[in-house]
Structures are given as structure tokens and as C-alpha cells.
Amino acid sequence: MAVKFQDYYKILGVERNATEKDVRNAYRKLARKHHPDLQPPEKKEEAEKEFKMINEAYEVLKDKEKRSRYDRLGANWEHGDAFNDQHHYQQRPGYQRNQTGSGDFEGFSFNFGGEQGSGSFSDFFESIFGGAFSGGGGGPSRRTRRPRRGVDVEAELEVTLEEIYQGREKQLQFSLQDLCDKCGGTGQLGNSFCQACGGGGHVSTAKTIKLKVPRDARSGKKIRLKGQGGDAEAGGERGDLYLKVKVMPHSRFTLNGDDLETKVTIYPWQAVLGGKITAPTLDGSVRVTIPPRTHNGHRMRLRGKGMPRVGGEHGDLYLQLILDIPAKVEPEAEELYRKLAEFTGEKEGYGA
Ligand SMILES: [Zn+2]
């Protein structure tokens, strides 16, 4: 694609050795004269083109870096008025072409009405400077304020089995990276870094939320709280807060899916004769009947005494029956055991 050479000095009507001041004065004069808003309707279109070239010429000649680049490369066009820009692009990896738009120079705000996406610079300008230069020029470049969604935040939610079982409300405190109020998240105040956030655009804010522990809270589950995450940039949506559940170990119960397990001690006479024992649940203790001839390690299922499920049902509670003797054996009881031993004799085999 052929690109037409633009003589920026000629456009502004200044000499090649013009000073910055000469350039600025020439630009101001021409910009006022050709400003499209000051033209009669039939001349508006022509004026816009001219005004655009004046601004482009000024954009280059007011800037030392751009001007010297233009002077250097411009020499190659003196001998012919076209060059192959394809070749040129290849020498500039990372080049982005899509960044031009309306600009804002010296308080003039201009906008090339109606021509969406046509760009405010000529192909010539873009072939020399590309997107990297456009709109910049001196001082920290302004960050584009596109509405961006705030970050998602993850925090750990420690819960006990009781809190899940009873669906208790919990209060949670954590710190969140919020947009800095002072600079609005840009990290800049005027031409310097924002002190309040150290230029990062975010500040750490303490936050408290309350939530009812869901019935299906289990270790590793993530609870999403929409819009409770990081602050968004202008116009954007807040991020979400993800609470990663950690179920704390319990002194009595072991959690296995929706089921609970616990050990309960039974005594020799209960094991042989059966009877009622007291067993713990998360909902208080219950009386449980054990059948006669119950062996050590036997498991009993208490239906519906486990953890709550989403639908309203519960898992089960498994009691593992551990056969033991009481801590204290009264002399009368010992006498009975002796009788039992005499009665049983060697029949039961290999015990002590
Ligand atoms: Zn700030």
C-alpha cells in the first residue's frame, strides 16, 4: 500500500529549522482559522480535512522525539512520494494500529464528526509512529478508563459442624483491595503518583460481612457472594467474593460426606444382653437400643441424624460400638465376673 508523504513543515508554514515557539504559534493561528466549527456548512468537510492535517503536523513537530524521527525518515521520501509501508511494519514488532481516535491538544478538543474508526491521523503518520506514539507526548500517559470488572476475591470461611447443622449466622472480617478514593484507581494525581495508594490505584479496606452458614457447607466448597469482591473501575461491576469453606475438626464427630461418625462405649453386660445406651448427636443426646449379642466395633446407623442437605433432608449418624469395661469395678461386680469365669471355664478358648 502506497503512503503519501506529508510535509508537516509546509502544512504549518514553518521553516525546517523553526523553533518550538514558531511551531506553536503557527499551529494556533492555523487551528483557529481552519477550525471546522467556524466554517459555513458547505466548507465544513474540507475544513475538517485541513484541520486534521494541521493537528497531525503539530502533533509531530511540537514533540522533539517525533520531530527528529520524522526528519530522519522524511528524507527517504524526498526522492519519491510513496513508499511501501508493509516493509516498514515488519520492522516494528508489537505495532498496534488501532489506537488512534480523537485527540486533545492544547485545550482544543476536536473530533472528526461521523467518521467512526477512520482515525485522526493519516496513513503516513501511522506508518512512522504507529499506535505507540499517538495521543501521547510528555508526562505520564493517561490510562484508558474502560469499565473493568472488579477482581474476584477469595477468603476462607471456617465453620464448625454445629454452625452448619444449625444454620447459624456468621460474621466475617477480611481485607479487600478497593479502588483508591483519592485518585479513583488511576494511581495518579496530576502528573505525580498518588500517595494514598502508592500509585497502585488500590487500597486495602477492612470489610465485614454476615452470612448464614449454608446447609451444604463442606470443606472445599466455594460460596459465591455476588458483588462483594473487589471494587471496579469507573462504570464497571464489582467482583465477587468466594468463600472457601473449611470445616473445623470436631472433638466428637467425624464428617464423611453428609454422614457423621462417632464412637460409643458399651459394657460387657450390654453387649451380651442388649439394652439402652445414650448416644451423642449434633442435636443433643438420644437413647438408643442396642440388640443383644452385640460385638465390639459393631456399627449402628441412626437415620437422619447426620448433616443437613440442601433439600431439607439429613445424612445419617453412624455409631461405632466399642466394648470396654467401666473404669471402676466394684468388689461385688468382681465377684460376679469370677462366677462368670468359673461357669465359662476354658470353653471360650484362648483368652488370658
Ligand atoms: Zn490513589
Side-chain angles (χ1 to χ4, degrees):
M1 178 173 109
V3 172
K4 193 168 167 260
F5 175 73
Q6 304 287 349
D7 188 338
Y8 292 140
Y9 293 101
K10 206 169 160 188
I11 290 166
L12 289 187
V14 294
E15 297 296 321
R16 298 225 142 229
N17 59 0
T19 64
E20 276 178 53
K21 202 179 161 199
D22 295 338
V23 169
R24 192 167 57 241
N25 288 339
Y27 165 71
R28 284 187 174 158
K29 227 167 95 189
L30 288 169
R32 270 187 211 108
K33 192 175 157 197
H34 294 280
H35 199 287
D37 291 352
L38 305 174
Q39 312 304 316
E42 70 274 12
K43 286 194 174 168
K44 226 178 172 89
E45 203 180 313
E46 189 56 35
E48 268 175 12
K49 276 184 200 153
E50 236 165 308
F51 188 65
K52 178 171 156 171
M53 281 319 299
I54 291 162
N55 275 293
E56 180 174 311
Y58 182 58
E59 173 71 9
V60 174
L61 297 187
K62 74 169 180 180
D63 185 291
K64 265 195 194 123
E65 205 186 327
K66 283 198 193 101
R67 186 171 171 178
S68 73
R69 187 177 173 86
Y70 171 73
D71 287 345
R72 217 165 51 242
L73 294 172
N76 297 331
W77 283 290
E78 302 278 9
H79 309 294
D81 57 353
F83 80 113
N84 185 336
D85 63 347
Q86 196 59 42
H87 169 69
H88 203 72
Y89 290 150
Q90 280 166 359
Q91 292 179 335
R92 312 192 60 220
Y95 168 84
Q96 290 179 2
R97 198 178 182 149
N98 56 357
Q99 278 193 18
T100 56
S102 61
D104 185 358
F105 304 130
E106 304 268 295
F108 280 103
S109 165
F110 64 93
N111 175 336
F112 304 102
E115 293 186 337
Q116 277 289 334
S118 67
S120 49
F121 297 106
S122 69
D123 288 343
F124 174 76
F125 179 95
E126 289 208 18
S127 69
I128 297 186
F129 302 108
F133 279 93
S134 60
S141 61
R142 252 170 298 148
R143 200 185 289 180
T144 316
R145 300 296 303 277
R146 238 173 279 131
R148 261 202 299 173
R149 201 174 157 275
V151 291
D152 291 337
V153 177
E154 193 173 303
E156 195 169 68
L157 177 69
E158 290 187 346
V159 290
T160 63
L161 291 178
E162 282 88 352
E163 285 169 338
I164 303 170
Y165 194 91
Q166 292 157 15
R168 268 187 230 161
E169 187 173 85
K170 268 190 91 98
Q171 197 164 300
L172 204 75
Q173 281 183 320
F174 57 99
S175 69
L176 197 62
Q177 292 293 303
D178 260 336
L179 274 197
C180 173
D181 279 344
K182 285 268 178 340
C183 65
T186 60
Q188 287 170 5
L189 282 175
N191 278 337
S192 56
F193 290 114
C194 171
Q195 299 283 319
C197 61
H202 290 85
V203 288
S204 194
T205 314
K207 209 177 163 176
T208 305
I209 58 160
K210 281 182 185 173
L211 87 156
K212 191 178 173 222
V213 179
R215 297 170 67 88
D216 60 344
R218 301 289 186 272
S219 283
K221 180 190 166 68
K222 282 185 183 173
I223 301 167
R224 179 179 175 222
L225 299 177
K226 202 173 181 309
Q228 299 278 356
D231 218 350
E233 289 189 24
E237 212 184 329
R238 277 195 89 98
D240 299 332
L241 171 63
Y242 286 91
L243 295 175
K244 194 173 178 192
V245 175
K246 184 182 177 189
V247 179
M248 302 304 285
H250 195 278
S251 60
R252 187 128 220 187
F253 299 101
T254 307
L255 183 60
N256 181 12
D258 294 333
D259 297 332
L260 292 169
E261 288 186 30
T262 189
K263 289 185 167 77
V264 181
T265 301
I266 57 169
Y267 297 115
W269 58 93
Q270 294 172 315
V272 174
L273 305 172
K276 284 191 179 290
I277 60 165
T278 300
T281 74
L282 277 176
D283 200 19
S285 43
V286 290
R287 295 289 282 169
V288 177
T289 302
I290 58 168
R293 319 296 187 256
T294 294
H295 291 268
N296 181 47
H298 179 75
R299 274 159 62 95
M300 286 183 72
R301 181 168 76 165
L302 303 190
R303 201 182 280 271
K305 293 288 183 189
M307 296 303 285
R309 290 192 182 120
V310 174
E313 295 180 341
H314 283 73
D316 302 326
L317 169 61
Y318 287 90
L319 303 179
Q320 190 179 15
L321 304 179
I322 303 299
L323 181 55
D324 200 355
I325 58 165
K328 198 174 175 198
V329 180
E330 303 290 336
E332 292 92 330
E334 192 174 328
E335 190 53 36
L336 293 172
Y337 280 114
R338 204 178 304 280
K339 282 189 179 160
L340 179 61
E342 281 164 14
F343 169 75
T344 312
E346 299 289 314
K347 276 186 284 196
E348 287 291 320
Y350 309 101

